Amino acid sequence: MARRTFFSFHYDRDIWRASNVRNIGTIDPVARAGFTDASLWEEAKKKGDAAIKALILDGLKNTSVTVVLIGAKTADRPWVKYEIDESVKRGNGLMGVRIHMLKDQKGNTDLPGAVPKALLDGGYPVYDWNRDSIGRWIEKAAVAAGK
């Protein structure tokens, strides 16, 4: 069963890596708010926090799992924390996937980053990126959340 999946990540730093994850074809992604149209995200940033929150909440609608894509600087991003908190409130399955080893648009990998505290505190699973396993991990997170 395909799960509608919300991806949380450091937008400016990891958009290219997130695009690679999203486009593997084995999952039904509803990416981070504004992900499918970068101009929406940029416009929301110009309008301020309320607009960003609204975009994120809209992106979380009808999702069953939230995947936090963990890059070098993800753990400290306030919007990632907000997305995790909102996902917990909604009862979404939750998990982290380390993506620092994926290449960016320039062909560079990145340094490993810390796991967001909310994932650690909640005991949510964290995996190293594996194209062949992410669909199974998403299903496991959904089942663990009763979705």
Side-chain angles (χ1 to χ4, degrees):
M1 168 189 275
R3 301 291 184 168
R4 287 180 50 89
T5 305
F6 181 90
F7 289 96
S8 176
F9 56 94
H10 183 323
Y11 191 84
D12 292 329
R13 188 173 183 112
D14 292 321
I15 184 70
W16 191 271
R17 291 177 182 92
S19 293
N20 288 326
V21 171
R22 183 177 177 265
N23 291 324
I24 65 168
T26 60
I27 50 180
D28 180 16
V30 174
R32 172 192 251 264
F35 181 95
T36 54
D37 182 351
S39 66
L40 293 176
W41 180 248
E42 295 303 323
E43 187 62 28
K45 285 192 330 188
K46 289 178 193 172
K47 292 180 180 177
D49 289 358
I52 293 172
K53 285 180 180 180
L55 204 58
I56 290 168
L57 294 175
D58 189 55
L60 279 166
K61 284 182 186 171
N62 302 314
T63 61
S64 55
V65 176
T66 297
V67 177
V68 181
L69 299 175
I70 303 168
K73 303 285 184 178
T74 306
D76 298 326
R77 302 303 298 171
W79 293 119
V80 169
K81 181 181 181 328
Y82 180 76
E83 290 162 345
I84 293 169
D85 291 345
E86 288 299 317
S87 296
V88 169
K89 285 180 193 175
R90 293 168 183 273
N92 273 17
L94 195 56
M95 61 185 251
V97 176
R98 292 182 185 95
I99 60 165
H100 64 277
M101 70 290 289
L102 293 174
K103 293 180 179 178
D104 64 14
Q105 65 273 27
K106 296 177 183 174
N108 299 317
T109 58
D110 209 350
L111 298 171
V115 175
K117 186 176 181 328
L119 290 180
L120 292 173
D121 289 350
Y124 298 105
V126 176
Y127 306 97
D128 289 331
W129 168 249
N130 182 314
R131 176 188 182 96
D132 297 327
S133 299
I134 191 165
R136 185 169 24 93
W137 297 334
I138 289 170
E139 181 63 21
K140 188 175 177 181
V143 170
K147 296 273 184 165

